[in-house]
């Protein structure tokens, strides 16, 4: 359904990409260049690049969703998986590594959420490392930032109770965070992740597909003493 | 106004009438949530009306509740478990009111849907499941799910709900979500009303002990599914996140428990522990606990390879079997003297699988005997296929599986082996539950006896410490057991006068057990802090050895609820719930005279399965670590301890009945009135 919607607008979703021989081919779509490495490696004329990007290591995510609860706590003052600006989806009966999906806002070089916002609520915050964020005071709840996000699922978040959209701001505007947030500060999700599977980098990750943000940096889990051995274990 | 941390309402489902209604959580807040609220609901729905004898857990009138705690889903670690309460078909010989709990994402999701818990009464005419999407509750037809495994059931309900994993946001009336419903379900073992059936959520978050899977089956309730798109309000959001960081920094937690080599730890929602594994299919989502060793054969059989153990665990989880009760040995075995009746080593648990094999070896069961072992291929017990057939036979009550489905104690009774086997072969601590590190750490044993199950409180960190002398160690423990702070609580003297003066039969041991039970009843079963981390009296990573108990619990609760309760205030709530539970037991017929350990406790060998047998002993002038592997009880001592314990609790020493004074002091006059009308109130 989402795909149909996006096709109508002449947009493409991540899943419609076929990357072959270094050429990005999008079936019938015309907006592929917005996500190609070539165009993404530099700031667009309109929007300066963000100075920071939230990346993850999907191999060692423990699926605990502590990042989601921390995100909604520091931004909204309440814990909610629906309000979290980082989304971890789990399929606990699916085989590793397909059992966990991580969806982060990519702070796109060419942010369609910003471009399509009719009120300027979704903006590039030049005072805070060019992070793409939404000023809730200006948001009228038109949902254009949701429908214009490149990615499935969209990384802009709908707050049903407030009838407004939100998005990851790298904790620039996190009223319940006791640390300094933002691109040059700390982020609630990163500080809470118990396995070090989240971090913020300053270099623009590859824009070819999701794997550009799925980097290999988390430490391999320490193995505790075997607890269930027939010889030595305990439970 | 609803206290932060609580959703504000509890869902009541009557499966007989098909009606659902809402109960105001505030009415039960004095019981703290979780098991406390479950006990109070049970009292109001099952005991107070006085219209049945409270003996059969499969009676449709049994109320089974699944309750959350105030911290669940708030982002605090080790705090997201779901408590299950109700009458238990597993306990022997009486179906005592009991509790169990499980992790995963069910409790946080239920709260995000706006519910503190679900309580189910009655019985449906045909199989159903309860479907909760925020405020919307429906009772759905589950005829097509009946017979499916726990994993198949969840996959099927996910399909029905239509949330497509990892694709697009699903929009509901109250909000959007990318999450799939959290589902707790039974497998065939529950459907067939075995007494060894668990509730399973996800791959292997399970509530096994208590046998609540059979209670679901008796109600024709296949599953409860919940999807929540709302928010969990907390009093101090900044304080909640900071409390987690403070706790993790001050008392760093060790590496995850090891799963299979190469496995990736995973955790329950909001938790940092990593006690589950991500590579679930043929490798578990079970936590790395007793269920991992479900099929682990005891000597003289060769140790079962890990890979086979893990695969067979999946079998137990899919069938919805209580792995602890139906396993073959447990995690380990211990050396015993050459003249000990169990040879060559003693298994950690003389559970159903082990005992069945022992009966076969002794010629009590098997071809040509009164109890044929068909369909079990006994000659192939070392083959994994045997474990699958064993599990299926129990879950579906086929052949000897029908007897085994009654649980170890009732199986032994049907073979005509009781009470004799309780003295020697069958190490069932109290009420038919497997011994579980209960000795020589006697507070665990006493707790089992005074409660209604294996209390499963792994919180003592006993055993010799390299960095501390024995005296330093007991002083650390004492510093964390407010408000008594008495090092002599931890004297495990078990011989001569000292045993009665400060040791295992003393008033001090009665106080320690009461403290331990009050703590567990509130902080672990009602607030629902996980047993993997709470309580924590001693902590090796702390510079002074002191654990976080007494500091962490009130800080967490204050940040979430805003209530300025001290640690000791919480202990008083634990005492209240514990007294309410005592009243329920007494209404079911509990009397001091019934509270006897199995015979093996009173004989040498009682502590041969002790995991940490080196315990502190005080000789009147100094402390030292002593190996207490030879510790066993004497009847006179246990009776003296019971008298002391009842006095500490403010109960009648002769009967163990609660007294009006104690109940009123705890704000439970209405409980005293019912006990009095039944003639089961202790004298003033």
């Amino acid at each position: 359904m989402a795909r149909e919607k996006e096709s109508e607008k002449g947009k493409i979703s991540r899943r419609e990409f076929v990357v072959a021989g270094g050429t990005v081919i999008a079936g019938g779509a015309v907006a592929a260049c917005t996500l190609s490495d070539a165009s993404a490696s530099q700031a667009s004329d309109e929007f300066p690049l963000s100075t920071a990007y939230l990346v993850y290591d999907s191999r060692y995510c423990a699926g605990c969703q502590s990042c989601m609860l921390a995100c909604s706590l520091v931004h909204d003052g309440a814990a909610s998986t629906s309000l979290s600006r980082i989304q971890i989806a789990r399929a606990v009966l699916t085989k590793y590594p397909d059992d966990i999906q991580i969806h982060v806002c990519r702070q796109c070089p060419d942010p369609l959420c910003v471009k399509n916002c009719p009120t300027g609520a979704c903006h590039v915050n030049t005072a805070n490392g060019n992070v793409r964020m939404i000023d809730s005071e200006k948001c009228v709840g038109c949902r254009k930032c949701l429908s214009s996000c490149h990615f499935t699922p969209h990384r802009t978040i709908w707050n049903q109770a407030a009838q407004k959209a939100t998005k990851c701001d790298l904790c620039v505007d996190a009223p319940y965070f006791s640390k300094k947030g933002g691109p040059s500060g700390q982020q609630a999700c990163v500080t809470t992740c118990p396995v070090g599977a989240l971090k913020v980098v300053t270099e623009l990750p590859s824009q070819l597909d999701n794997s550009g943000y799925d980097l290999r940096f988390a430490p391999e889990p320490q193995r505790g003493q075997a607890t269930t051995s027939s010889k030595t274990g305990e439970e | 106004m609803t206290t932060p941390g609580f959703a504000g309402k509890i869902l009541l489902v009557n499966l007989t009438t098909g009606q659902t209604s809402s109960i105001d959580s505030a009415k039960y807040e004095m019981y703290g949530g979780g098991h406390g609220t479950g006990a109070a609901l049970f009292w109001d729905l099952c005991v107070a009306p006085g219209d049945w004898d409270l003996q059969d857990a499969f009676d449709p009138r049994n109320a089974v509740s699944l309750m959350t705690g105030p911290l669940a889903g708030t982002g605090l670690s080790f705090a997201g478990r779901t408590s299950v309460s109700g009458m238990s078909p597993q306990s022997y010989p009486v179906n005592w009111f009991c509790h169990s709990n499980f992790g995963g994402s069910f409790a946080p999701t239920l709260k995000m849907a706006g519910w503190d818990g679900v309580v189910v009464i009655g019985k449906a005419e045909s199989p159903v499941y309860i479907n909760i999407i925020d405020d919307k509750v429906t009772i759905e037809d589950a005829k097509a799910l009946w017979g499916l495994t726990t994993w198949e059931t969840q996959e099927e309900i996910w399909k029905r709900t239509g949330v497509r994993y990892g694709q697009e946001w699903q929009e509901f009336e109250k909000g959007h979500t990318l999450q799939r419903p959290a589902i707790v379900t039974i497998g065939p073992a529950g459907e067939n009303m075995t007494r060894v059936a668990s509730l399973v959520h996800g791959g292997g978050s399970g509530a096994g002990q208590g046998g609540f899977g059979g209670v679901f089956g008796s109600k024709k309730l296949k599953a409860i599914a919940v999807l929540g798109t709302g928010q969990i309000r907390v009093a101090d959001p900044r304080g909640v996140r900071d409390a987690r960081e403070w706790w993790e920094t001050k008392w760093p937690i060790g590496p995850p428990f090891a799963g299979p080599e190469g496995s990736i730890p995973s955790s329950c929602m909001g938790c940092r522990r990593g006690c589950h594994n991500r590579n679930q299919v043929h490798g578990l989502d079970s936590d790395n606990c007793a269920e991992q060793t479900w099929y682990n054969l005891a000597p003289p059989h060769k140790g079962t390879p890990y890979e086979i153990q893990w695969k067979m665990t999946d079998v137990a989880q899919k069938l919805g079997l209580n792995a602890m009760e139906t396993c073959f040995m447990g995690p380990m075995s211990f050396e015993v003297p050459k003249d000990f009746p169990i040879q060559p080593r003693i298994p950690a648990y003389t559970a159903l699988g082990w005992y069945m094999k022992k009966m076969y070896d002794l010629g009590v069961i098997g071809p040509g005997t009164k109890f044929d072992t068909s369909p079990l291929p006994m000659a192939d017990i070392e083959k994994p296929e045997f474990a699958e057939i064993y599990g299926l036979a129990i879950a579906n009550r086929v052949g000897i599986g029908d007897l085994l489905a009654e649980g170890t104690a009732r199986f032994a009774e049907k073979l005509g082996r009781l009470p004799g086997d309780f003295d020697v072969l069958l190490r069932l601590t109290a009420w038919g539950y497997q011994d579980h590190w209960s000795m020589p750490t006697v507070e665990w044993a006493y707790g089992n006896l005074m409660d209604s199950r294996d209390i499963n409180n792994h919180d003592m960190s006993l055993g010799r410490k390299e960095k501390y002398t024995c005296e330093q160690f007991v002083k650390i423990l004492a510093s964390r057991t407010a408000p008594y702070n008495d090092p002599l609580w931890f004297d495990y003297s078990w011989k001569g006068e000292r045993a009665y003066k400060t040791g295992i039969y003393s008033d001090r041991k009665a106080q320690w057990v009461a403290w331990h039970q009050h703590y567990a009843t509130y902080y672990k079963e009602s607030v629902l802090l996980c047993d993997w981390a709470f309580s924590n009296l001693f902590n090796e990573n702390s510079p002074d050895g002191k654990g976080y108990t007494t500091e962490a619990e009130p800080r967490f609760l204050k940040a979430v609820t805003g209530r300025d309760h001290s640690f000791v205030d919480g202990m008083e709530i634990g005492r209240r719930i514990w007294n309410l539970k005592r009243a329920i037991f007494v209404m079911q017929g509990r009397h001091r005279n019934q509270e006897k350990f199995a015979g093996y406790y009173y004989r040498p060998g009682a502590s041969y399965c002790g995991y940490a047998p080196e315990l502190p002993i005080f000789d009147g002038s100094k402390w030292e670590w002593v190996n207490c592997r030879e510790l066993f009880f004497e009847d006179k001592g246990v009776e003296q301890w019971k008298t002391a314990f009842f006095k500490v609790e403010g109960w009648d020493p002769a009967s163990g009945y609660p007294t009006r004074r104690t109940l009123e002091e705890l704000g439970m006059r209405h409980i005293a009135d019912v006990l009095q009308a039944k003639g089961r109130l202790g004298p003033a």
Side-chain angles (χ1 to χ4, degrees):
Chain A
M1 190 172 157
R3 262 181 227 183
E4 287 164 18
K5 216 167 53 181
E6 289 173 1
S7 298
E8 280 167 23
K9 293 182 298 192
K11 254 184 44 171
I12 53 165
S13 77
R14 174 176 59 81
R15 290 172 203 286
E16 288 167 299
F17 279 114
V18 179
V19 180
T23 308
V24 178
I25 304 162
V30 293
C33 59
T34 61
L35 295 180
S36 73
D37 262 0
S39 68
S41 61
Q42 58 191 14
S44 74
D45 293 342
E46 207 175 341
F47 305 109
L49 285 175
S50 175
T51 59
Y53 304 87
L54 178 61
V55 295
Y56 54 91
D57 186 337
S58 65
R59 296 172 306 159
Y60 298 139
C61 170
C64 68
Q65 300 171 308
S66 295
C67 54
M68 298 175 70
L69 302 174
C71 175
S72 50
L73 269 181
V74 301
H75 286 97
D76 302 290
S80 168
T81 48
S82 293
L83 291 181
S84 172
R85 294 125 196 245
I86 176 172
Q87 287 288 324
I88 312 292
R90 288 193 77 176
V92 291
L93 297 174
T94 299
K95 203 166 184 176
Y96 179 89
D98 299 325
D99 56 329
I100 288 179
Q101 293 189 356
I102 301 173
H103 307 297
V104 298
C105 170
R106 299 161 60 105
Q107 303 293 341
C108 294
D110 188 30
L112 293 185
C113 55
V114 174
K115 205 178 252 182
N116 289 306
C117 177
T119 68
C122 193
H123 64 287
V124 172
N125 187 328
T126 51
N128 282 287
N130 302 326
V131 67
R132 286 82 169 112
M133 60 185 285
I134 295 175
D135 179 350
S136 66
E137 296 291 315
K138 292 183 183 168
C139 177
V140 292
C142 70
R143 307 196 193 201
K144 285 218 168 67
C145 59
L146 307 179
S147 58
S148 54
C149 176
H150 284 307
F151 297 96
T152 303
H154 56 72
R155 311 302 156 89
T156 31
I157 307 295
W158 181 244
N159 183 333
Q160 180 88 350
Q163 288 289 301
K164 287 174 189 284
T166 60
K167 71 178 291 301
C168 173
D169 60 0
L170 299 175
C171 290
V172 168
D173 181 17
Y176 304 101
F177 194 27
S178 50
K179 297 178 185 296
K180 181 187 174 300
S184 59
Q186 298 188 60
Q187 297 74 32
C189 56
V190 175
T191 60
T192 306
C193 178
V195 294
L198 293 171
K199 77 170 179 178
V200 162
V201 296
T202 54
E203 192 177 333
L204 177 70
S206 166
Q207 298 295 301
L208 282 176
D209 58 24
N210 246 3
S211 64
Y213 286 68
D214 187 0
L215 303 174
R216 300 198 160 199
F217 57 83
E220 191 168 341
Q222 277 181 281
R223 308 312 309 174
Q225 185 191 5
T227 55
T228 53
S229 157
S230 58
K231 293 173 189 165
T232 59
E234 179 206 15
E235 61 73 33
Chain B
M1 189 178 161
T2 303
T3 301
F6 292 89
K9 58 187 193 299
I10 298 160
L11 174 64
L12 172 63
V13 180
N14 184 333
L15 290 176
T16 304
T17 63
Q19 290 179 319
T20 63
S21 54
S22 171
I23 299 169
D24 185 356
S25 303
K27 185 181 170 193
Y28 293 100
E29 219 173 287
M30 65 187 272
Y31 301 101
H35 183 45
T37 300
L41 283 162
F42 185 83
W43 181 273
D44 286 352
L45 294 166
C46 298
V47 184
D51 58 351
W52 64 302
D53 60 6
L54 306 171
Q55 295 304 303
D56 180 10
F58 293 141
D59 190 300
R61 287 170 289 192
N62 188 10
V64 61
S65 62
L66 284 78
M67 293 297 306
T68 68
L71 306 184
T74 62
L76 286 164
S77 221
F78 293 93
R81 300 184 74 78
T82 304
S83 171
V84 186
S85 302
M87 271 168 54
S88 153
Q90 183 182 343
S91 61
Y92 173 87
V94 178
N95 288 189
W96 298 122
F97 176 72
C98 190
H99 63 275
S100 191
N101 67 47
F102 62 93
S105 61
F106 190 85
T109 308
L110 191 60
K111 280 169 71 174
M112 286 172 198
W115 303 97
D116 286 315
V118 184
V119 56
V120 183
I121 54 173
K123 176 184 178 179
E125 276 183 18
S126 61
V128 295
Y129 74 96
I130 298 168
N131 196 35
I132 303 166
I133 301 175
D134 293 328
D135 282 349
K136 192 177 159 202
V137 181
T138 50
I139 299 175
E140 307 280 352
D141 184 357
K143 285 199 275 291
L145 305 179
W146 208 250
L148 299 186
T149 67
T150 61
W151 292 9
E152 289 166 340
T153 303
Q154 292 176 83
E155 295 281 10
E156 199 55 41
I157 293 175
W158 284 327
K159 274 187 218 158
R160 290 190 189 190
T161 311
V163 178
R164 281 170 287 176
Y165 167 60
Q167 293 195 22
E168 59 202 55
W169 290 82
Q170 190 87 352
E171 189 168 347
F172 295 96
E173 199 176 314
K174 295 235 164 180
H176 293 202
T177 188
L178 282 178
Q179 307 300 313
R180 301 199 295 185
I183 301 167
V184 63
T185 183
I186 58 171
E191 293 173 9
N192 293 309
M193 291 163 62
T194 74
R195 295 179 190 273
V196 294
S198 56
L199 302 175
V200 175
H201 159 55
S205 288
Q209 297 284 48
F212 289 106
V215 177
F216 267 42
S218 74
K219 295 181 176 304
K220 297 272 185 215
L221 176 59
K222 180 67 176 173
I224 302 176
V226 59
L227 196 57
T229 68
Q231 307 170 27
I232 300 171
R233 206 165 57 86
V234 299
D236 177 8
R238 183 181 284 112
V240 171
R241 205 211 66 87
D242 290 353
R244 175 172 173 149
E245 190 174 86
W246 159 81
W247 177 65
E248 290 178 352
T249 307
K250 193 165 177 189
W251 291 280
I253 200 147
F257 281 90
E261 189 60 36
S263 70
I264 310 296
S266 75
S267 294
C268 300
M269 190 186 278
C271 187
R272 64 165 295 116
R273 188 60 171 114
C275 71
H276 288 233
N277 300 303
R278 270 181 69 182
N279 48 343
Q280 304 88 337
V281 180
H282 305 301
L284 315 172
D285 170 43
S286 306
D287 73 21
N288 299 319
C289 188
E291 59 267 41
Q292 265 203 358
T293 59
W294 178 65
Y295 179 59
N296 180 20
L297 294 174
H301 295 288
K302 279 183 290 186
T304 310
Y306 284 139
E307 305 76 54
I308 293 174
Q309 287 185 40
W310 295 319
K311 284 190 178 185
M312 291 306 104
T313 302
D314 289 351
V315 171
Q317 302 289 24
K318 289 183 205 175
L319 294 171
L321 284 170
N322 174 347
M324 179 105 181
E325 171 65 9
T326 60
C327 73
F328 289 80
M329 177 178 92
M332 58 202 294
S333 64
F334 300 83
E335 284 182 15
V336 287
K338 289 202 168 16
D339 58 349
F340 195 70
I342 300 174
Q343 291 290 336
R345 292 169 68 87
I346 188 169
Y349 319 142
T350 57
L352 191 58
W354 180 87
Y355 184 71
M356 178 272 301
K357 177 62 166 42
K358 177 63 72 179
M359 291 298 102
Y360 178 79
D361 290 343
L362 292 173
V364 178
I365 61 173
T369 71
K370 194 176 159 192
F371 304 99
D372 188 15
T373 40
S374 170
L376 305 182
M378 294 304 296
D380 294 331
I381 195 165
E382 291 189 1
K383 294 182 181 166
E385 295 77 18
F386 175 87
E388 292 199 64
I389 295 168
Y390 168 79
L392 282 162
I394 296 172
N396 292 312
R397 287 185 172 275
V398 176
I400 197 166
D402 190 40
L403 285 184
L404 296 168
E406 293 296 295
T408 315
R410 287 179 176 83
F411 175 62
E413 185 180 51
K414 295 223 160 126
L415 302 185
R417 302 283 300 185
L418 297 185
D421 276 2
F422 281 152
D423 292 346
V424 185
L425 290 179
L426 204 45
R427 298 167 69 88
L428 305 184
T429 163
W431 317 123
Y433 280 83
Q434 303 300 325
D435 199 341
H436 183 194
W437 318 137
S438 73
M439 292 285 266
T441 45
V442 296
E443 66 279 353
W444 192 322
Y446 285 136
N448 293 345
L449 188 63
M450 293 296 118
D451 207 327
S452 57
R453 53 162 285 181
D454 160 29
I455 56 173
N456 196 51
N457 287 331
H458 303 72
D459 46 12
M460 273 310 297
S461 311
L462 291 168
R464 187 186 293 271
K465 307 290 178 243
E466 293 303 320
K467 278 163 60 182
Y468 299 93
T469 66
C470 189
E471 183 172 353
Q472 286 170 331
F473 178 70
V474 294
K475 284 183 175 168
I476 289 169
L477 298 184
S479 74
R480 298 279 124 170
T481 40
Y484 302 95
N485 306 112
D486 182 355
L488 285 170
W489 276 12
F490 309 102
D491 176 18
Y492 289 84
S493 295
W494 63 284
K495 288 178 184 165
E497 249 183 68
R498 183 57 54 185
Y500 289 84
K501 201 166 176 184
T502 57
I504 65 171
Y505 308 127
S506 69
D507 293 359
R508 287 184 159 93
K509 201 59 76 190
Q511 285 176 346
W512 163 224
V513 173
W515 188 97
H516 198 231
Q517 290 303 112
H518 300 168
Y519 180 91
T521 304
Y522 178 56
Y523 287 113
K524 287 168 81 162
E525 301 299 338
S526 302
V527 174
L528 286 161
L529 289 165
C530 181
D531 177 60
W532 277 140
F534 289 87
S535 65
N536 184 248
L537 309 181
F538 171 80
N539 193 304
E540 280 178 350
N541 297 326
S542 159
D544 58 4
K546 290 180 182 173
Y548 40 79
T549 279
T550 71
E551 287 188 63
E553 298 92 341
R555 179 161 175 175
F556 290 174
L557 280 160
K558 183 168 184 197
V560 170
T561 67
R563 289 185 305 213
D564 206 6
H565 280 192
S566 69
F567 175 77
V568 174
D569 291 335
M571 293 296 287
E572 193 67 355
I573 298 174
R575 189 164 80 93
R576 177 183 297 134
I577 307 163
W578 180 240
N579 269 266
L580 171 58
K581 285 180 64 169
R582 185 73 185 179
I584 296 171
F585 295 155
V586 163
M587 288 297 285
Q588 288 189 277
R590 182 80 71 96
H591 187 279
R592 174 188 173 127
N593 294 343
Q594 277 174 306
E595 292 174 325
K596 296 270 189 190
F597 287 113
Y600 75 92
Y601 268 81
Y602 303 94
R603 288 172 169 74
S607 299
Y608 284 174
C609 294
Y611 181 69
E614 270 195 297
L615 301 179
I617 296 271
F618 184 64
D619 69 3
S621 62
K622 64 180 188 308
W623 287 91
E624 61 180 336
W625 299 104
V626 176
N627 191 321
C628 294
R629 206 162 175 258
E630 296 303 322
L631 186 155
F632 61 91
F633 280 136
E634 58 182 45
D635 185 60
K636 182 184 136 207
V638 172
E639 292 307 310
Q640 173 169 315
W641 177 86
K642 278 158 63 178
T643 299
F645 181 76
F646 295 150
K647 284 182 182 169
V648 168
E649 294 287 9
W651 300 342
D652 172 36
S655 60
Y657 291 170
T659 58
R660 176 170 287 281
R661 185 176 164 189
T662 302
L663 293 172
E664 289 195 358
E665 187 181 295
L666 293 163
M668 298 193 294
R669 175 177 293 182
H670 61 296
I671 308 289
D673 291 344
V674 173
L675 288 176
Q676 186 166 25
K678 188 82 175 172
R680 292 184 187 170
L681 195 61

